[in-house]
Amino acid sequence: MRFKKVTPHLELYVVSGIHTVLLSFDMPKERSRDLLGFAIERRTHSNNQRIWLEGMKCFESLVAKPKAGETYPSNQHPIQSFFWMDFAVEPGETYTYQVTPVYGASPAQLRFEHPTEIEVHTEPYASDTDEHEVYFNRGVSGSQYYARRFGTEKISKLKEPKKTEALNWLQSGLYDGFLEFIQQAKKGEKLCGAFYELKYPPAVEALKKASVDRDVEVRIICDGRKGVKGSYFEENKETVDKAKAQRALNLRYRDVKGLKIPHNKFLILCDKNGAPKKVWTGSTNISEKAFFGHCNTGHVIKNSAVAEKYLRYWNQLYAQASMAALKSLDEELQAQPPFDQPLPNQPMVFFSPRSTSGLLNFYANAMDKAKQVVCAVFPFNVDDAFQTIFEIDKSYLRFVIIDKKGKNNRINSEDRDLKVTYGDYVGQPVYQWIKEASAGKVFYGGVNYVHNKFILIDPLSADPMVITGSANFSKPSLVGNEENTLLIKGNKRVADIYLTEHTRLYNHFYFRYFLQNNSSAKKLFKPYLAEDSKWVEEFYVDNDFSCKRKLLFKHMVL
């Protein structure tokens, strides 16, 4: 949801998601003289709790030796940015933010002027007026908060209730959302699913209970490729066998000639007549690390036309259809849209395998036509179709998150407005930052940071585009894998949720990757606040990143 409050002294522009709120400020430059930052207070309407938002930086003249892991309230050590994020909000809540410019000749003589308030409503997971539900886990076991509260050892070594508290914080509603989707199924209804990984015992048990305890017809497909690199057949089978759930799940293992990876992660809910009602999809495998470790998305769509397409596709998977038959069906269910025609404001779903990888060019072309901002997550590689677009200098901002750097995902561009970061964590204590641990240490190996696969095109416009699903944006995902991808156009609520989470992840990883992979990082990075107002200059330079981001929010469409 989007909000703004404009006064002669201060302008506030806010975008709220479910667990994240983005706050952008502006003011006439002449009012920034002697500005030492902003004090931000948040009041929660449901309990009238008031807190000052905090930061990790402090004034050196006031705190000469910061304690490791210490945070500082913004009314004493103000925020020195025209952009800030609040990661500690709850869904469906109302908040009032009071933002106060803080002036002074020195930190010892702070002066507070013209506080400005704005009321903000966060998004619920599900809305009566929208057919979409969206769930993100935190994906940041490597964070200061997690390290302070839960430490850096493996999750399996934590004792109760600390372990449950850690998992609940990490899942941030994602696992609960998946369980709730299963629990909605009533007697005589049907759950039809297709999963690459089916190896988290509690989730398998939830599906089994739906079948055994509530008489729901459950039919599941999962990876059944034997003896193949990247196969989860053995782990899936072991999990299902231990749960004695084979019969309850009517489980079939998917393995046909020519199939690279059965990479889907979706579940369809059908009514008693077999008619599909809604679909759970996204990037989340049924594994502990997927729900709690690396970052993932769960997306529910309550659209019968879209759900019907999923069911037709699933029926072919369950019947062990050949790759050739699937390609024909997938292109019948949704052909590739033409480049030169506007898309309808109706959700579209693209299934794989397809006969060509032309959808990559379609996605890249849509990115190339952006006017304000592009945000993307490419976990594993950046295809040539996107490389070509990224090599073209643009006047608008582009933000890209990649799990880790490799030979197939280096973006060759000198565009200052293209910002790329890779996953990382604070591996050793530095300044007041304490040591963190990646998801690879907290859980186990594999993908440690981001596993989402989505693209946002002009998310703050009146006509945003969100592309999200199970498919990595690569040729194999389109021609050799079984995948599904949603394209959602014109839905500002969905775009706001994805944007707030992308921004949270980008800012989290950018600092950590910079710190770990730049030999001059400690010299370039300043752990203390500036003690004069020189820090404001970059926010008023037209072509500077900080100014462009400020204007991006200033020009958003409510």
Side-chain angles (χ1 to χ4, degrees):
M1 202 172 294
R2 308 170 192 184
F3 309 87
K4 76 173 181 178
K5 179 75 169 287
V6 176
T7 74
H9 306 284
L10 186 64
E11 302 172 19
L12 305 181
Y13 302 93
V14 180
V15 181
S16 67
I18 293 172
H19 285 289
T20 302
V21 172
L22 310 180
L23 303 107
S24 182
F25 322 131
D26 199 11
M27 62 169 56
K29 187 176 182 181
E30 58 270 19
R31 288 205 51 78
S32 68
R33 183 178 301 171
D34 293 331
L35 182 68
L36 292 180
F38 298 94
I40 309 172
E41 183 189 54
R42 183 189 71 209
R43 178 171 68 87
T44 306
H45 284 216
S46 61
N47 59 13
N48 204 35
Q49 180 189 55
R50 292 175 178 267
I51 67 162
W52 293 101
L53 298 194
E54 297 180 334
M56 290 289 294
K57 292 186 177 184
C58 59
F59 290 118
E60 187 175 12
S61 61
L62 300 182
V63 185
K65 294 182 179 181
K67 294 180 181 179
E70 192 72 58
T71 56
Y72 302 91
S74 57
N75 64 321
Q76 298 175 25
H77 303 269
I79 305 301
Q80 290 188 341
S81 176
F82 282 71
F83 177 77
W84 200 246
M85 292 167 286
D86 187 357
F87 305 141
V89 296
E90 295 297 322
E93 179 64 88
T94 300
Y95 300 94
T96 293
Y97 288 91
Q98 180 178 273
V99 182
T100 306
V102 181
Y103 297 89
S106 74
Q109 298 174 310
L110 299 182
R111 186 174 78 253
F112 298 81
E113 295 187 6
H114 305 294
T116 303
E117 291 189 346
I118 187 167
E119 186 172 288
V120 173
H121 311 283
T122 55
E123 295 288 356
Y125 292 117
S127 168
D128 293 337
T129 60
D130 190 19
E131 64 187 10
H132 300 275
E133 300 174 23
V134 185
Y135 302 86
F136 276 78
N137 63 4
R138 295 195 190 273
V140 288
S141 59
S143 70
Q144 292 293 290
Y145 179 90
Y146 185 87
R148 287 197 304 267
R149 185 171 175 186
F150 304 111
T152 58
E153 63 183 351
K154 281 193 178 298
I155 199 85
S156 58
K157 293 184 178 180
L158 294 182
K159 295 180 179 180
E160 295 294 354
K162 194 174 183 180
K163 178 179 178 180
T164 295
E165 291 172 359
L167 290 174
N168 282 335
W169 186 83
L170 289 168
Q171 62 116 345
S172 191
L174 177 64
Y175 182 58
D176 288 343
F178 182 70
L179 289 183
E180 183 179 342
F181 190 91
I182 295 171
Q183 291 161 1
Q184 290 175 48
K186 300 179 179 63
K187 181 178 180 178
E189 295 187 329
K190 188 174 181 179
L191 288 169
C192 303
F195 298 104
Y196 179 35
E197 297 180 43
L198 188 66
K199 61 178 191 176
Y200 187 51
V204 171
E205 188 63 32
L207 288 166
K208 179 184 174 181
K209 283 186 176 182
S211 173
V212 174
D213 296 350
R214 301 200 305 277
D215 199 20
V216 175
E217 182 180 351
V218 179
R219 293 184 178 272
I220 303 295
I221 308 160
C222 69
D223 185 1
R225 299 164 303 144
K226 301 176 183 179
V228 178
K229 184 179 180 180
S231 170
Y232 284 95
F233 168 70
E234 295 293 343
E235 293 176 67
N236 293 343
K237 188 176 186 304
E238 181 182 359
T239 304
V240 173
D241 288 350
K242 281 186 177 180
K244 298 180 180 179
Q246 169 78 37
R247 181 175 296 180
L249 272 54
N250 290 287
L251 187 66
R252 289 189 180 176
Y253 292 99
R254 178 78 176 151
D255 183 16
V256 298
K257 185 177 180 180
L259 171 62
K260 297 296 183 183
I261 303 177
H263 201 245
N264 284 301
K265 312 102 169 41
F266 70 82
L267 188 62
I268 309 164
L269 174 60
C270 301
D271 65 20
K272 293 179 181 180
N273 297 316
K277 298 194 296 185
K278 59 175 70 173
V279 180
W280 167 282
T281 185
S283 64
T284 310
N285 287 303
I286 310 305
S287 71
E288 183 183 57
K289 195 169 185 180
F291 286 120
F292 307 103
H294 53 229
C295 189
N296 271 307
T297 312
H299 192 116
V300 175
I301 180 165
K302 298 166 281 188
N303 180 301
S304 58
V306 170
E308 176 62 35
K309 291 184 177 183
Y310 271 92
L311 185 60
R312 288 183 61 191
Y313 175 65
W314 179 89
N315 282 333
Q316 291 298 301
L317 296 177
Y318 200 70
Q320 300 293 3
S322 69
M323 293 291 281
L326 274 179
K327 288 181 179 182
S328 177
L329 172 66
D330 295 347
E331 289 164 2
E332 174 195 335
L333 290 173
Q334 181 60 68
Q336 178 179 317
F339 287 179
D340 57 350
Q341 294 182 18
L343 295 173
N345 282 355
Q346 294 292 331
M348 305 171 76
V349 57
F350 301 105
F351 296 104
S352 299
R354 307 176 77 85
S355 57
T356 75
S357 59
L359 273 174
L360 296 179
N361 294 316
F362 170 76
Y363 298 148
N365 181 67
M367 292 169 63
D368 192 41
K369 291 180 178 178
K371 296 179 174 61
Q372 298 173 339
V373 65
V374 168
C375 304
V377 180
F378 299 103
F380 303 115
N381 73 300
V382 182
D383 188 85
D384 290 344
F386 301 106
Q387 288 278 10
T388 300
I389 297 301
F390 288 139
E391 288 172 3
I392 302 171
D393 190 87
K394 297 291 184 180
S395 60
Y396 55 81
L397 295 173
R398 296 179 287 181
F399 298 90
V400 177
I401 307 173
I402 301 170
D403 184 66
K404 61 182 179 181
K405 182 174 281 189
K407 64 180 181 180
N408 295 322
N409 57 26
R410 289 186 176 89
I411 295 178
N412 301 313
S413 175
E414 297 182 0
D415 185 357
R416 293 186 304 169
D417 298 317
L418 174 61
K419 305 294 182 180
V420 181
T421 192
Y422 301 85
D424 222 318
Y425 65 103
V426 177
Q428 297 296 330
V430 55
Y431 302 122
Q432 54 265 53
W433 276 260
I434 63 175
K435 181 181 178 180
E436 302 169 346
S438 76
K441 181 177 179 181
V442 174
F443 292 92
Y444 45 83
V447 178
N448 288 333
Y449 304 105
V450 289
H451 190 252
N452 319 72
K453 307 96 170 36
F454 66 85
I455 297 171
L456 313 179
I457 299 171
D458 290 337
L460 290 176
S461 70
D463 195 25
M465 184 184 298
V466 177
I467 303 166
T468 185
S470 75
N472 296 303
F473 299 106
S474 66
K475 291 181 177 69
S477 74
L478 287 169
V479 300
N481 294 359
E482 292 167 354
E483 307 272 15
N484 69 99
T485 298
L486 286 170
L487 189 154
I488 303 155
K489 186 169 177 288
N491 189 312
K492 291 191 286 186
R493 175 178 178 272
V494 171
D496 291 349
I497 294 170
Y498 273 84
L499 175 65
T500 55
E501 293 300 315
H502 186 280
T503 306
R504 173 183 69 87
L505 290 168
Y506 181 87
N507 279 47
H508 175 89
F509 289 124
Y510 180 82
F511 161 69
R512 286 158 174 81
Y513 182 77
F514 172 78
L515 192 65
Q516 293 279 77
N517 294 274
N518 190 317
S519 60
S520 302
K522 290 186 178 181
K523 294 180 180 179
L524 296 172
F525 177 73
K526 298 178 181 179
Y528 295 105
L529 295 170
E531 304 212 353
D532 56 32
S533 62
K534 291 180 181 178
W535 65 272
V536 306
E537 291 300 323
E538 65 188 69
F539 292 91
Y540 292 95
V541 178
D542 288 344
N543 290 319
D544 189 272
F545 163 75
S546 298
C547 183
K548 284 192 172 185
R549 183 171 58 184
K550 182 179 68 171
L551 294 176
L552 173 66
F553 286 88
K554 189 169 183 173
H555 296 152
M556 70 182 180
V557 177
L558 297 180

